[in-house]
Amino acid sequence: MRYIEAWKLTFEVVAPFVLSNRPIQTKRYPNGHYVVPDTNAFLIGMDLFEMDTAFYDVIVLQTVLEEVKNRSLPLYHRLVNLSKNEDKRFYVFFNDFRRDTHVLRKPGESINDRNDRAVRKATKWYSDHLLKAAKGPGGPSKSPAVVMISDDQDSLRTAKLEQVEALSLSDYVSGLEGSARLLDMISELRGPKEKSAGKVEQVYPEYYPVSRIKTGLNKGTLHQGTFGVSPYNYLEASVHVKAFERPLLVLGRENGNRAVSGDVVVLEVLPKDQWKAPSSKIIDEETINKNDNAEADEDEAVVTQQERRALQEEVKKTHGQSREGRPQPTARVVGIMKRNWRQYVGHVDAVSSKSSSKYNRAQQAVFVLPMDKRIPKIRIRTRLASELSGKRIVVTIDSWDQDSRYPVGHFVKSLGDLEAKGAETEALLMEYDVQYRPFPKVVLDCLPAEGHDWKVPSDLSDPGWTGRMDLRDLLVCSIDPPGCVDIDDALHAKELPNGNYEVGVHIADVSHFVKPNNAMDNEASSRGTTVYLADKRIDMLPTLLGTDLCSLKPYVERYSFSVIWEVTKAAEVVSSKFSKSVIRSREAFGYEQAQNRIDDKSKTDELTKSLRILLSLSKLLKQKRMEAGALNLASPEVKVQTESETSDPVDVQSKQLLETNSLVEEFMLLANISVAGKIQASFPQTALLRRHASPPSTNFEELATQLRVKNGMELRYDSSKALADSLDTCVDPSRPFFNTLVRILATRCMTSAEYYCAGEHHYAEYRHYGLASEIYTHFTSPIRRYADLVVHRQLAAAIGYDRLETASNAADAAAQQSLQSRNVLERVCGNINVRHRNAQMAGRASVEYYVGQALKGQVIDEEAYVMRVFSNGFVVFVPRFGIESVVRLRDLAPQGLTGREGDQEDSGYRKEPESMFDAENYVLEVKIGEGDKGKKRRIELFQQVKVRISDEKEEATGKRKVKMQLLA
């Protein structure tokens, strides 16, 4: 029974491709060959098997597929995807279902040994089968070889005795073209190192056994959470756990115990006398461990003296303590529940690379410095050190042994030269796991056959009109950013005979084109969202839909999903109606264009009147939200002007918000709230909603203290209304940007909003804190958000447009039923929450990259504000460019003063000037210059300063970033 179920599962996901009758030839196998990898080969070489330049005609045994699934679900999914790729020809052979290849487990035989025997038997049978099939009437003909690939030495020895052709993965790859690059891609999994005679090794602590971890978690003596490394100090991390209001603090490599930022870890709280305060210093790994030797794997200390000194030595005299500076619960990592390792983008540390000749193919160890500074250096062994120098590359972590200071990984691929636009764009897409591959044929096959010629049927009796309202006579228009082509939403408003208004929000009917569970739906679900970069976007849906057939372009008829209200002149909703519809937009306005139309008093046409109605109502709606406690927060937003042909950045400007921005926002919010109530009433367990949990009060304590100490202002945060009101009072007439700065800092105190299934929480927990709404969802952007597409389907079912009981066939019924499956929808929510966050971070990283490129070669003096103060530096924010940067004390030192006395490791760095840090008052006093000629500077939190902005290539990340210097 188990095999039948496994066969059904595998058959559903693996297409039955046929191997090539002319497989690839090599010197070793001149007649061509097929390969049969065992489980270990896939575990250590999956990156190799996915290469376009190698590994075709691969036989994937059922035994191996199941074992890979049991060992690593992510690798299993990658292997299944390979088996669906027609070009690669990965053929799944069901060896356990064939009498000739089925293997029974012997008494006392381990499962692993049984599976190894099954792989050898299947390889031998396949080889004999091909020899027999290749025999012709004139005698035997040439037959391709069948080669087992394994890194299990016992299995390779046994294969030789059984006359089974077998090679280790590295031996096989050595015979392929371009073997030097391919060999680098084999995982660096290794056994424990032998101890040097007479040498006492310094090692990380052992992880607790699983039984002890489970007991500790159940008893509450151990705690579980996600390990998050500080962006300012690589030796400091925090972990939020349920048992403590404040995050647990983890300081130092030993206490971090091989955890990587993003891992789910198990923590043990240290005794109270060992609790520490968060570090007040900026500490970069590349500064502290700049001259590490990548080859010194055998004798390296896990924790260096420089690191110990950086954590323990109080170089600066510090007066007082901020609330943040008081000791807080401190913990150490005692286990890893889940490794969230992924592929990392970085560059080879030039200091660690010893080969300068591109012809030198000797393998050497080098360090890769990840773009994400929270990730430790990764040691890889490569034969291509000189070729990879100056390149943006992709690596993955294979292991982090107890006796190794750094994780060990392997090379995956090169993206191109550092700072090259194409390489850097692909790098940030990979870094934030944005799926940017072209849409596969199976997805494109789901598009309407008419292509761009598709039109709304003219015949009202056509099935496409069934259940739709004909709203083509309404004066509908859209208002979007300039140049927008994927138009999700449009609006209309008109006065009713009774003096009230009819207002409609019309949303692109994407669900008409994207059916549940087809290939396009699965692709959209996987991508989760469209990703907007500074110079382009990565679409969730194929362009034909996103920018044409679904887009509510002007002057053409389009399918839509409409929410229509009757509202009073005081913006009170009298009634709501939901319906599929057909509209014909009269105009596609940009925000500024719509604003000018409204402001032009000479315009008295009906469309302009409807815009003015919408604007007046939107102001009332916003006022009601603010009175209810909605927050008006801020985030630094800029737009990058690019050259039209090359997309090279030429200027950076702050985004200007107009009244029409708010107009659109208010009616989109109203539509989302109205739809949320409707689908929750119909599907109280499975409605897909969005919530913003109230942030813990501890999140705001530090900001409240800062405002009280520096400005005598009170920040109340017992409710969203109290917070909104007190933010309005944080005004400094002499510094107009001060209120915006406070709102930016308050935004960072918030928790993240999230998608969820209604049944996951009680109704009281549905509340969206930031919007002050009892219930909320996303309905208005189905072209670019998968959540909205699901909500469209649920709303269609809620109003009776799509009925589960009247599905035309079993497939349709199953697809519709998935909308009612809480398990399915919880998985969808989990994915789109991750995709949404990643898209936001990718967008910000893209802007940061383009800002750096736009400022390349320039020197600009600008106003800035101090956002944070450390004992050895401070963070400033520049409103004009929406960027922030660290200014270190060593950057304030005069030229020529380098190093720290008696410290060779810091040679080449400027000596930090004398300073005094007052943590209680958030003040850093610095003496710039030597002796009597030195000048004192006082840097305070929220202070307005002048900075000189230039650009530099950051050694640690290889990225071009802005550099800021404090001006007198």
Side-chain angles (χ1 to χ4, degrees), residues 808-852:
S808 58
N809 54 55
D812 288 343
Q816 291 294 337
Q817 194 62 45
S818 69
L819 298 177
Q820 312 305 314
S821 169
R822 181 167 158 182
N823 287 337
V824 170
L825 288 169
E826 284 180 0
R827 287 198 298 272
V828 168
C829 288
N831 179 64
I832 57 181
N833 282 330
V834 171
R835 296 297 175 189
H836 180 74
R837 285 193 293 271
N838 287 356
Q840 287 182 316
M841 291 188 289
R844 291 169 191 156
S846 175
V847 170
E848 181 184 359
Y849 165 73
Y850 270 87
V851 168

Side-chain angles (χ1 to χ4, degrees), residues 285-287 289-290 292 344-352 366-380 391-395 406 418 431 954-959:
E285 180 174 18
E286 187 54 22
T287 302
N289 297 321
K290 181 177 177 60
D292 274 1
Y344 299 97
V345 182
H347 70 285
V348 172
D349 180 8
V351 176
S352 69
V366 296
F367 285 124
V368 173
L369 306 179
M371 283 176 60
D372 186 345
K373 295 172 73 171
R374 300 171 302 168
I375 306 301
K377 292 194 282 193
I378 301 169
R379 179 187 281 117
I380 67 169
K391 302 289 185 182
R392 183 66 73 194
I393 66 171
V394 181
V395 299
Y406 298 108
L418 290 173
E431 186 67 17
E954 190 177 43
E955 190 173 353
T957 64
K959 293 190 290 187

